[in-house]
Amino acid sequence: MTDLQAVLDSIHTELQPRIGEGKVADYIPELAKIDPAQFGLSVVTVDGKVYSVGDAAVPFSIQSISKVFMLTLALGKVGEGLWKRVGREPSGNAFNSIVQLEQEAGIPRNPFINAGAIAVADVVLAGHEPREAIGEVLRFVRYLADDETVTIDDKVARSETQTGYRNFALANFMRAYKNIDHPVEHVLGVYFHQCALSMSCEQLARAGLFLAARGANPMTGHSVVSPKRARRINALMLTCGHYDGSGDFAYHVGLPGKSGVGGGIFAVAPGIASIAVWSPGLNRVGNSQLGAVALEMLAGRTGWSVFGD
Amino acid sequence: MTDLQAVLDSIHTELQPRIGEGKVADYIPELAKIDPAQFGLSVVTVDGKVYSVGDAAVPFSIQSISKVFMLTLALGKVGEGLWKRVGREPSGNAFNSIVQLEQEAGIPRNPFINAGAIAVADVVLAGHEPREAIGEVLRFVRYLADDETVTIDDKVARSETQTGYRNFALANFMRAYKNIDHPVEHVLGVYFHQCALSMSCEQLARAGLFLAARGANPMTGHSVVSPKRARRINALMLTCGHYDGSGDFAYHVGLPGKSGVGGGIFAVAPGIASIAVWSPGLNRVGNSQLGAVALEMLAGRTGWSVFGD
Amino acid sequence: MTDLQAVLDSIHTELQPRIGEGKVADYIPELAKIDPAQFGLSVVTVDGKVYSVGDAAVPFSIQSISKVFMLTLALGKVGEGLWKRVGREPSGNAFNSIVQLEQEAGIPRNPFINAGAIAVADVVLAGHEPREAIGEVLRFVRYLADDETVTIDDKVARSETQTGYRNFALANFMRAYKNIDHPVEHVLGVYFHQCALSMSCEQLARAGLFLAARGANPMTGHSVVSPKRARRINALMLTCGHYDGSGDFAYHVGLPGKSGVGGGIFAVAPGIASIAVWSPGLNRVGNSQLGAVALEMLAGRTGWSVFGD
Amino acid sequence: MTDLQAVLDSIHTELQPRIGEGKVADYIPELAKIDPAQFGLSVVTVDGKVYSVGDAAVPFSIQSISKVFMLTLALGKVGEGLWKRVGREPSGNAFNSIVQLEQEAGIPRNPFINAGAIAVADVVLAGHEPREAIGEVLRFVRYLADDETVTIDDKVARSETQTGYRNFALANFMRAYKNIDHPVEHVLGVYFHQCALSMSCEQLARAGLFLAARGANPMTGHSVVSPKRARRINALMLTCGHYDGSGDFAYHVGLPGKSGVGGGIFAVAPGIASIAVWSPGLNRVGNSQLGAVALEMLAGRTGWSVFGD
């Protein structure tokens, strides 16, 4: 599929003058230091071909994209019982909102808002010391990406630990409703470290390829989840993956996807390919500005939208 | 595709013992009279074949499913300018909630919650007397379905006019924010009549086929919208089509769809088929109970989920 | 008490340079025409003496102050049973908010927010045609003020009928919850006419004197309510009389009071006097700007605050 | 005033059969152990006379009543500047609600809901180590009560530290909005210890007498606040002192007051007396059930309501 590389090249070329647009996340001090003038895009097709442009090999902080891997891990541990702890509906509120938690007795709306992801981290933590759980998360992501060089950036994790007051509020609030079982510091220890996973677009696209390929990574042969679970995780990404910008992302891009404040977006074209894009400047709702534009161009030019070609 | 008929037959057979489950909508007196023990299902493929089981030829009140046709009509009139009047995000609230309207200055979250659909009706009404607008809506749906026998059930419209206090509240509230231009009685006149459209599963599946087929109805050759707009309407249905049950529907069924309290659900398998199911008993969140189950079975057996096979 | 007149004169003199401050209510077109450079203040003591300064004899639209008289009337009709229909707590929201209504099943927080006053008007309407109920309200206020010249300004009532969309929203919303028994147009007919009562400061202070004097008007000998009910109405005015500015009014003035968007404020010094002040310019939260200042000066100089001298 | 003792005795006698009613607070394990069958009532008049019945000399956990003393202390430190950090309006929500904080950018509605009191504790903490601040609070309350035997119950403080997740959530949430300056653990250290102040009805009534007596304790001659500030603190107690039951308390009792989940209520009859009542069983909204009844009886029989006799 030579023309896929051509599509990526054309996107890169057209976006070149806009690289640096948007505003780098500054609420986590360590992230505020990133040079905004970076852009990478990788596509891995289900037949194992890799297409990349720009800074696709530069590692960045995947932040909330990690919630997809954590959800996968938690579903593996407790299965559909997870949904007693967290909902599956779009929240209609910002990613760090606490209002809904109070109105719905401490059950977060979905696993991709912060509260939901913290509840998921609590599930992953069960039976472990925090260090062990963090180790398990790292091993799992390395296994998915088939790449032992994936790391966690401790400086980012520490930076967020020191300033993540809202996340401490969310976790304590859920603990008050007994929807967090472990000490808040332990749960957030896992949460802040998963968010600090540092991966390149290529690593990320490989790691998520199983979601495009009926639950198994065709490059490694590793079976990760059942085809049904892969579909369901994709459904959750589509309805909830971009917080209160999820409807807009579906409208413009039409692919299941998950964004992170580090400027990355991971997306899935079911049956076709997994995609990772990175550009640190964020738009008004906290998603990568050029990342979203690039994905809209990609979906438009390939006809990969799940809503029709 | 003989086996598609077999799939429908197997669904019908398996659901037979459950027909009558759920609770018929009772807040509109005229709807409360419907016999719950009915079930119909139709699939129309993009190559023009029609597959049906059960009461697929019995007309029922399509209610909120009409919002899909009205959105199509309004986008045709004012284009993307429509989004100044209504958002594109899941609401996180019930279909008739007014809370969000107050918090967001009279702009409804999306065109499929009641407030949003009323704003859309206001757009369709522009330049018309209410009677004319209702006539235009009816003609448009007959044109889409290629069937002049589609009607509006005046008794249902009248029943809702007399009891639809919450809709009067929503419309007046938006009028206070100048997001309704016409007299509230006129706008709701259109709205209550569109909801009272009476169609069978077969008519409904035909009328919506353009959304599965790049915007044009392959049976009639009528071009309704551009491929891009068809995709976008599908995206809106997937993220917002089942109110605060949208996430759940995406998780279980994986198809863009729109439900109505008359017990109908319209769904789209992009590039493949349009689907209409009807069973009057509703589940806890107000969607057809057996309808949702039938669609989950259908998507599971055909591999039509947009999130992977 | 000659020095009370001196206190009023000193307040008038000191406020002279500021007369005209604030912003005249403009959401009711008829009110927007009022000359803002007016200021009147009347005090009627429980021994029947009347003290006035400025435009104390000029009639103005009492608007929400009428809610105090309507509450009195409704309690006379249905007694404490009224509290099944409306609460007694500060709302924490704006006077015309609908959010709380949805969260609390159509029961308004208190009788002084718009929703609550509309429910009260519905109670007063029971057993009457709207015209009759409006006549009863007018007769009641004339009786309280012992003044047959009190009128209702039909132009103001009509102006509000044509633009009061939020009130139509509130009434319809409560009707949906069966907390309004009569047709919405009838209830709002009463409500808009009570708000259009036109009274001078002197008339208003006389009409409310019973609340300062154990429930009976010492000037006429008319017994209106029991001492206990007088206390309770005063309590409601103190906690809820200035919407989401009630805490601030209690903090600065320390008297039970009720404001109206016509620029009037009615206040009570229990056991001592009733007070009416009028100045059309409103502050940020919709209460008379100079009216509130004048009352703070009056309470400060007389030691009438209920919270200590 | 012999008959005041008779009034207290009659209240005690009449309530005798009901002693033990209500439900002891159980969310703080240490408080759940209290014997509910206790009842004490003390009145201290501004001329220094003390009247008591029942268990008026038994110390109990004053809990949120401490917020009155902390507010006094904080106003002494930063004056009216305090109101940049916390509002003065009734909240319309439960005492431990976080919803309003999110909607109003981390500024609590008033100093008597938990969030507001935590912000006040942060102000009191300024320039101190937590231990020192707790010492200062204890010295201040001993000074007010003129009684060196007042203590803090460390077991209660510890119990609340271990289970007060919602307060940790509130504090972290405000810290995210930069409305808490010190480490959350330090601020809550102060907060949990102030709540654990252990005082009898007699001690409490003495300690708050300054609020009934123009800001100075007539028994000791200590001037605590100006007459104006005493009035204002009383106003805040009346509008906000019983959380979302404040309107009801004003309606039935008619005195400024502050309740605590330990079953105590402190109230003020301005210019006349300060009052403390204690009975551990709580009503539905978390205020002492018999305490509120006793105060209603007291105000009714003495004519002390601020809203008229």
Side-chain angles (χ1 to χ4, degrees):
Chain A
M1 217 194 294
T2 4
D3 47 7
L4 188 50
Q5 185 62 48
V7 168
L8 265 60
D9 290 339
S10 72
I11 292 170
H12 191 208
T13 305
E14 289 172 46
L15 287 180
Q16 196 71 53
R18 298 180 58 184
I19 290 174
E21 271 188 16
K23 199 171 163 318
V24 171
D26 56 4
Y27 73 93
I28 304 171
E30 202 59 31
L31 289 187
K33 302 178 184 169
I34 302 299
D35 172 12
Q38 301 187 78
F39 176 87
L41 173 58
S42 284
V43 174
V44 182
T45 56
V46 295
D47 54 4
K49 302 230 179 70
V50 181
Y51 304 83
S52 293
V53 284
D55 306 309
V58 179
F60 60 91
S61 192
I62 71 165
Q63 294 292 318
S64 290
I65 300 172
S66 65
K67 295 170 182 174
V68 178
F69 303 129
M70 290 297 280
L71 171 64
T72 305
L73 206 47
L75 283 170
K77 282 175 185 283
V78 297
E80 299 289 305
L82 180 67
W83 307 118
K84 279 178 242 153
R85 301 278 302 273
V86 59
R88 288 190 304 253
E89 292 297 330
S91 79
N93 288 312
F95 67 98
N96 57 6
S97 174
I98 205 163
V99 166
Q100 175 264 327
L101 268 192
E102 176 162 325
Q103 290 166 347
E104 299 177 12
I107 305 294
R109 267 296 172 93
N110 66 63
F112 294 150
I113 53 173
N114 286 15
I118 292 167
V120 168
D122 187 59
V123 168
V124 169
L125 180 56
H128 291 297
E129 290 304 307
R131 273 291 130 201
E132 294 169 3
I134 294 166
E136 183 187 2
V137 170
L138 181 57
R139 277 193 305 279
F140 180 62
V141 174
R142 285 175 171 175
Y143 168 82
L144 291 178
D146 193 32
D147 188 334
E148 293 298 309
T149 71
V150 172
T151 56
I152 287 173
D153 185 334
D154 280 322
K155 273 166 74 180
V156 170
R158 220 169 314 127
S159 185
E160 203 161 348
T161 305
Q162 283 156 10
T163 59
Y165 301 116
R166 272 185 93 123
N167 288 323
F168 276 97
L170 292 167
N172 274 290
F173 203 76
M174 287 190 287
R175 181 111 210 235
Y177 281 103
K178 303 194 193 304
N179 196 21
I180 291 291
D181 294 335
H182 302 88
V184 162
E185 297 69 28
H186 292 192
V187 179
L188 291 178
V190 175
Y191 179 73
F192 291 140
H193 279 83
Q194 79 181 59
C195 287
L197 273 162
S198 186
M199 298 174 79
S200 69
C201 287
E202 279 194 22
Q203 288 172 325
L204 195 51
R206 281 175 200 270
L209 185 58
F210 72 98
L211 289 169
R214 313 185 86 246
N217 185 330
M219 298 173 84
T220 61
H222 295 153
S223 177
V224 184
V225 295
S226 70
K228 188 185 211 178
R229 182 160 290 166
R231 287 199 302 271
R232 289 176 159 189
I233 294 173
N234 288 339
L236 286 162
M237 284 201 287
L238 195 127
T239 52
C240 313
H242 285 74
Y243 313 120
D244 47 346
S246 297
D248 211 56
F249 189 82
Y251 188 83
H252 283 111
V253 176
L255 296 174
K258 182 74 207 80
S259 66
V261 293
I265 305 178
F266 166 71
V268 174
I272 304 171
S274 73
I275 307 153
V277 62
W278 172 57
S279 180
L282 306 182
N283 63 16
R284 198 183 42 77
V285 292
N287 299 320
S288 172
Q289 180 150 318
L290 287 201
V293 172
L295 288 171
E296 185 173 0
M297 292 164 88
L298 179 66
R301 293 171 193 194
T302 55
W304 287 353
S305 164
V306 301
F307 300 116
D309 61 351
Chain B
M1 217 196 296
T2 7
D3 48 5
L4 188 49
Q5 185 62 47
V7 169
L8 266 60
D9 290 339
S10 72
I11 292 170
H12 191 207
T13 305
E14 288 173 44
L15 287 181
Q16 197 71 51
R18 299 179 57 184
I19 290 176
E21 270 188 16
K23 199 171 165 315
V24 170
D26 56 4
Y27 73 95
I28 303 172
E30 202 60 33
L31 290 187
K33 303 177 183 168
I34 302 298
D35 172 11
Q38 301 186 79
F39 175 86
L41 172 59
S42 284
V43 175
V44 182
T45 56
V46 295
D47 55 3
K49 300 228 178 73
V50 181
Y51 305 83
S52 292
V53 284
D55 306 308
V58 180
F60 61 91
S61 192
I62 71 166
Q63 292 293 318
S64 290
I65 299 172
S66 65
K67 294 171 182 174
V68 178
F69 304 129
M70 291 296 281
L71 171 64
T72 304
L73 207 46
L75 283 170
K77 283 175 186 282
V78 299
E80 298 289 305
L82 181 67
W83 307 119
K84 279 178 241 155
R85 301 278 301 273
V86 58
R88 288 191 304 255
E89 293 297 331
S91 78
N93 288 312
F95 68 98
N96 57 6
S97 173
I98 205 163
V99 166
Q100 175 265 326
L101 269 192
E102 176 162 323
Q103 289 166 347
E104 299 178 12
I107 305 294
R109 267 295 172 94
N110 67 63
F112 294 150
I113 53 173
N114 285 15
I118 292 167
V120 167
D122 188 59
V123 167
V124 170
L125 181 56
H128 291 296
E129 289 303 306
R131 272 291 129 204
E132 295 169 3
I134 294 166
E136 184 187 2
V137 170
L138 182 56
R139 278 192 305 279
F140 180 62
V141 174
R142 285 174 171 175
Y143 168 84
L144 291 179
D146 193 31
D147 187 335
E148 293 299 308
T149 70
V150 172
T151 56
I152 286 173
D153 185 333
D154 280 322
K155 274 167 73 180
V156 170
R158 219 169 317 127
S159 184
E160 202 162 347
T161 305
Q162 284 156 10
T163 58
Y165 300 117
R166 272 185 93 121
N167 288 321
F168 276 98
L170 292 168
N172 274 290
F173 204 76
M174 287 191 284
R175 181 110 211 235
Y177 280 104
K178 302 194 193 306
N179 197 20
I180 291 291
D181 293 335
H182 301 88
V184 161
E185 296 70 28
H186 292 192
V187 179
L188 290 179
V190 174
Y191 178 73
F192 291 140
H193 279 84
Q194 80 182 57
C195 287
L197 273 162
S198 186
M199 298 175 78
S200 69
C201 287
E202 279 195 21
Q203 288 172 325
L204 195 50
R206 281 174 199 271
L209 184 58
F210 72 98
L211 289 170
R214 312 186 87 246
N217 184 331
M219 298 173 83
T220 62
H222 295 153
S223 176
V224 184
V225 295
S226 69
K228 188 187 212 178
R229 181 160 290 166
R231 287 199 301 269
R232 289 175 159 190
I233 294 172
N234 289 339
L236 285 163
M237 284 201 288
L238 195 129
T239 52
C240 314
H242 285 73
Y243 315 121
D244 47 345
S246 298
D248 210 55
F249 188 82
Y251 188 84
H252 283 110
V253 177
L255 296 174
K258 182 75 207 77
S259 66
V261 291
I265 305 178
F266 166 71
V268 174
I272 304 170
S274 73
I275 307 153
V277 62
W278 172 57
S279 182
L282 306 182
N283 63 16
R284 199 183 41 79
V285 292
N287 299 320
S288 173
Q289 181 150 319
L290 288 200
V293 173
L295 289 172
E296 186 173 0
M297 293 165 86
L298 180 65
R301 293 170 194 196
T302 55
W304 287 353
S305 163
V306 302
F307 300 117
D309 60 352
Chain C
M1 219 199 291
T2 7
D3 49 4
L4 188 50
Q5 185 61 48
V7 167
L8 265 61
D9 290 339
S10 72
I11 292 170
H12 191 207
T13 305
E14 287 172 46
L15 287 181
Q16 197 71 52
R18 299 179 58 182
I19 290 174
E21 269 186 16
K23 197 168 165 318
V24 171
D26 56 4
Y27 73 94
I28 305 172
E30 202 60 31
L31 290 187
K33 302 178 183 169
I34 302 298
D35 173 10
Q38 301 187 79
F39 176 86
L41 174 58
S42 284
V43 174
V44 182
T45 56
V46 294
D47 55 4
K49 301 228 179 72
V50 180
Y51 305 83
S52 292
V53 286
D55 306 309
V58 179
F60 60 91
S61 192
I62 71 166
Q63 293 293 319
S64 290
I65 300 172
S66 65
K67 295 170 182 173
V68 178
F69 304 130
M70 292 296 281
L71 171 63
T72 305
L73 207 49
L75 284 170
K77 282 173 188 283
V78 298
E80 299 290 305
L82 181 66
W83 307 119
K84 277 177 246 156
R85 301 278 301 272
V86 58
R88 288 190 305 254
E89 291 298 330
S91 78
N93 287 313
F95 67 99
N96 57 6
S97 173
I98 206 163
V99 168
Q100 174 264 326
L101 269 192
E102 177 162 324
Q103 289 165 346
E104 299 177 12
I107 305 294
R109 267 294 172 94
N110 66 64
F112 294 150
I113 53 173
N114 285 15
I118 291 167
V120 167
D122 187 59
V123 167
V124 169
L125 181 57
H128 291 295
E129 290 303 307
R131 273 290 129 202
E132 293 169 3
I134 294 166
E136 183 187 1
V137 170
L138 182 57
R139 279 193 305 280
F140 180 62
V141 174
R142 285 175 171 174
Y143 167 83
L144 290 178
D146 193 32
D147 187 334
E148 292 298 307
T149 70
V150 172
T151 56
I152 286 172
D153 185 334
D154 279 324
K155 276 165 72 179
V156 170
R158 219 169 315 127
S159 185
E160 204 162 346
T161 305
Q162 285 156 9
T163 59
Y165 301 116
R166 273 184 92 122
N167 289 320
F168 276 97
L170 292 168
N172 274 293
F173 202 76
M174 287 190 286
R175 183 111 210 236
Y177 280 103
K178 302 192 193 306
N179 196 21
I180 290 291
D181 294 335
H182 301 88
V184 161
E185 297 69 30
H186 291 191
V187 180
L188 290 179
V190 175
Y191 178 73
F192 290 140
H193 279 84
Q194 80 182 58
C195 287
L197 274 161
S198 186
M199 298 175 79
S200 68
C201 287
E202 280 195 21
Q203 288 171 326
L204 194 51
R206 282 174 198 271
L209 185 57
F210 72 98
L211 289 170
R214 313 186 85 246
N217 184 332
M219 298 173 85
T220 61
H222 295 152
S223 176
V224 184
V225 295
S226 69
K228 188 186 209 176
R229 183 161 290 167
R231 287 199 302 270
R232 289 175 159 190
I233 294 172
N234 288 337
L236 285 163
M237 284 201 287
L238 196 128
T239 52
C240 313
H242 285 73
Y243 314 120
D244 48 344
S246 296
D248 211 55
F249 189 82
Y251 188 84
H252 283 111
V253 176
L255 296 174
K258 183 74 207 77
S259 65
V261 291
I265 305 177
F266 166 70
V268 173
I272 305 171
S274 73
I275 307 154
V277 62
W278 172 55
S279 182
L282 306 181
N283 63 17
R284 198 182 42 79
V285 291
N287 299 319
S288 173
Q289 180 150 319
L290 288 199
V293 172
L295 288 172
E296 185 173 1
M297 292 165 87
L298 180 66
R301 292 169 195 197
T302 56
W304 288 353
S305 163
V306 303
F307 299 116
D309 61 350
Chain D
M1 215 195 293
T2 7
D3 48 5
L4 188 50
Q5 185 62 49
V7 168
L8 265 60
D9 289 339
S10 72
I11 292 171
H12 190 206
T13 305
E14 288 173 44
L15 287 181
Q16 197 70 54
R18 300 179 57 184
I19 290 174
E21 271 187 16
K23 197 171 165 321
V24 171
D26 56 6
Y27 72 93
I28 303 172
E30 202 59 33
L31 290 186
K33 302 178 184 168
I34 302 298
D35 173 11
Q38 303 187 78
F39 175 86
L41 173 59
S42 284
V43 175
V44 182
T45 56
V46 294
D47 55 4
K49 301 229 178 71
V50 181
Y51 305 84
S52 292
V53 285
D55 305 309
V58 179
F60 60 91
S61 192
I62 71 166
Q63 291 294 318
S64 290
I65 300 173
S66 66
K67 294 171 183 173
V68 178
F69 304 129
M70 291 296 281
L71 172 64
T72 305
L73 207 49
L75 284 170
K77 282 175 186 283
V78 297
E80 298 290 305
L82 181 66
W83 308 118
K84 278 178 243 153
R85 301 277 302 273
V86 58
R88 289 191 304 256
E89 293 298 331
S91 78
N93 288 314
F95 68 97
N96 57 6
S97 173
I98 206 164
V99 167
Q100 174 265 328
L101 269 193
E102 176 162 323
Q103 290 165 347
E104 299 178 13
I107 305 294
R109 267 296 172 93
N110 66 63
F112 294 150
I113 53 173
N114 286 15
I118 292 167
V120 167
D122 187 60
V123 167
V124 169
L125 180 57
H128 291 296
E129 290 302 307
R131 274 288 132 202
E132 293 169 2
I134 294 166
E136 183 187 2
V137 170
L138 182 57
R139 278 192 304 279
F140 181 62
V141 174
R142 286 174 171 175
Y143 168 83
L144 290 179
D146 194 31
D147 188 334
E148 292 298 308
T149 71
V150 172
T151 57
I152 287 173
D153 185 334
D154 280 322
K155 274 165 73 180
V156 170
R158 218 167 319 126
S159 185
E160 204 162 346
T161 305
Q162 283 156 9
T163 59
Y165 301 117
R166 272 185 93 120
N167 288 321
F168 277 97
L170 292 168
N172 274 292
F173 203 76
M174 288 190 285
R175 181 110 211 235
Y177 281 105
K178 302 193 194 304
N179 196 22
I180 291 290
D181 294 334
H182 301 87
V184 161
E185 296 69 29
H186 292 192
V187 179
L188 290 178
V190 175
Y191 178 73
F192 290 140
H193 279 84
Q194 78 181 57
C195 287
L197 273 161
S198 186
M199 299 174 78
S200 69
C201 287
E202 279 194 23
Q203 289 171 324
L204 195 51
R206 282 173 199 270
L209 185 57
F210 72 98
L211 289 170
R214 313 186 85 247
N217 184 332
M219 297 173 85
T220 61
H222 295 153
S223 177
V224 184
V225 295
S226 70
K228 189 186 209 176
R229 183 160 289 166
R231 288 198 302 271
R232 290 176 159 189
I233 293 171
N234 288 338
L236 286 163
M237 284 200 288
L238 195 128
T239 53
C240 312
H242 286 72
Y243 314 120
D244 48 345
S246 297
D248 211 56
F249 188 82
Y251 188 84
H252 283 111
V253 177
L255 297 174
K258 183 75 208 77
S259 65
V261 291
I265 306 178
F266 166 70
V268 174
I272 303 171
S274 73
I275 307 153
V277 63
W278 172 56
S279 182
L282 306 182
N283 62 18
R284 196 183 43 78
V285 292
N287 299 319
S288 172
Q289 180 150 317
L290 288 200
V293 172
L295 288 172
E296 185 172 1
M297 292 165 88
L298 179 67
R301 292 169 194 196
T302 55
W304 288 353
S305 164
V306 302
F307 299 117
D309 61 352

